Amino acid sequence: MSINTLQRRAFLKACGAAALAGIPVTVLAQAPAKLAEDEPIAKSLAYLEDASKVDAEANPRFKSGNNCGNCALYVTADEADGFAPCRAVGGKLVAKAGWCKVWAPA
């Protein structure tokens, strides 16, 4: 079962529970937050919003031209203003021009 299917099911369950409780559904559907470079998960993945600032010696997996925008984990369909959700960090928004250690070819 895909992550999107699981997320959709969780969202629909939450909407159903909210409707029964009388809570407006719009409160539950908030946009994900941007991943900050100083967050523990970002640090562990060596995430930077600007791939041109990656230290190639410290990150041997980095190759020139690799960035979040051409990574398989970047959800291009949901991109807005140069940021989109990343499957590697729980759907938080990452910069299209960014990079991290789990970059994978799209």
Side-chain angles (χ1 to χ4, degrees), residues 10-58:
F11 176 75
L12 291 174
K13 284 181 183 179
C15 288
L20 292 174
I23 300 170
V25 172
T26 55
V27 172
L28 297 174
Q30 295 179 359
K34 288 183 181 176
L35 179 65
E37 291 179 359
D38 63 349
E39 289 184 49
I41 186 75
K43 286 183 176 184
S44 71
L45 297 175
Y47 169 73
L48 292 174
E49 284 190 8
D50 184 353
S52 70
K53 295 181 180 178
V54 173
D55 179 356
E57 284 188 29

Side-chain angles (χ1 to χ4, degrees), residues 1 38 40 49 52 75 80 93 100:
M1 196 172 300
D38 63 349
E49 284 190 8
S52 70
V75 185
L93 300 176
C100 84

Side-chain angles (χ1 to χ4, degrees), residues 50-54 56 61-71 96-100 103-106:
D50 184 353
S52 70
K53 295 181 180 178
V54 173
R61 293 197 59 207
F62 176 74
K63 303 290 183 246
S64 182
N66 293 357
N67 59 51
C68 294
N70 58 28
C71 176
K96 181 177 185 174
W99 182 86
C100 84
W103 181 90

